[in-house]
Amino acid sequence: MKRNIVLATVAAAALIGGGTVAAYAGSGDDGASPRQSDVRVADDRDDAPKDDTDDRDDARDDREEAAAQARGADVTAAEAIAAALERTPGTAVSAELDDAGSRVWEVTVVKADGTEHDVRVSAGDGKVLSDRRDDDDDDDGRRDLAALKGSTVDAREAAEAAAAKGTVLEIDLDDDGPALWKAETTKGEWNVDLKSGAVTAHHDDAGQDDRDDRNDRDDD
C-alpha cells in the first residue's frame, strides 16, 4: 500500500514537471530491498516539430495566395498611390490590393484637417473608380499625420523601396510604437524606415512569442 502511494505521488510530480522521474519504493513492512521504478511522462517538447511543420505549411499557403493575388494587378502600389493623390491631394497613409478578386487598390488619403478619404483605384489600368470621405473618426487621420511629422519617406516611396522584396500587396503606416511603414509583399512582411527608407524584415509579436516558447523548451 505504501509503495502505491509513493508511486502515485511521483507520477503526479512527473505530470506537473514533465520528463522522467526515478522513484524508490519499498514493498511494505516485510523488509524487502527497495526497488527502483521509472515513471516516464511525455512533455510538450514532442509537439515542437509538429508546430514548426504547421508554421511552414501556413507560410507556404500565404506565399501562394499572395502570388495569385499579385498576378491580378498590372498597377503597382506606388502607381495606385500616385493616382489617388492626383485625384485627392493629401497624405497617403495606406494602400491595399483588394483580395476579393475585384482587381482594385484601396488607398487611404488624409487631408490636412485630418479627414480621411477612401480612394479606389483600378489595379488593371490605374483609373480612379471612386473617392469617398470616411466620416467615422477624424482622430485617426490626425494621429497618422502626427506620426508622420518629420518623416522624409512617404507611402509611395516606401512602396517603391519595399518592391525590392517582392510585389507589394499592401503598404500601411504602423504607429504602434516607433512609427514606420509596414509592407506586405509576395515574399513576406517588411518594415520601411520613415526617414532612411531602409527595408528590414518585420517580426510580429506572435512570431516572437513562438520563438520564445521554443527557446524555453530547449532550455528545459
Side-chain angles (χ1 to χ4, degrees), residues 89-91 109-117 141-142 145:
T91 301
V109 177
V110 180
K111 294 281 197 175
D113 61 358
T115 57
E116 290 188 354
H117 285 250
R142 284 189 283 269
L145 293 179

Side-chain angles (χ1 to χ4, degrees), residues 111-142:
K111 294 281 197 175
D113 61 358
T115 57
E116 290 188 354
H117 285 250
D118 297 326
V119 185
R120 291 169 59 83
V121 179
S122 169
D125 57 18
K127 292 182 179 179
V128 174
L129 304 175
S130 65
D131 175 6
R132 182 181 65 84
R133 174 174 169 170
D134 186 353
D135 295 324
D136 290 343
D137 190 357
D138 291 344
D139 288 341
D140 289 342
R142 284 189 283 269

Side-chain angles (χ1 to χ4, degrees), residues 69 96-106 120 169:
Q69 187 178 351
E96 180 179 3
L97 184 61
D98 187 2
D99 59 3
S102 60
R103 290 171 55 86
V104 170
W105 282 100
E106 298 178 348
R120 291 169 59 83
L169 306 174

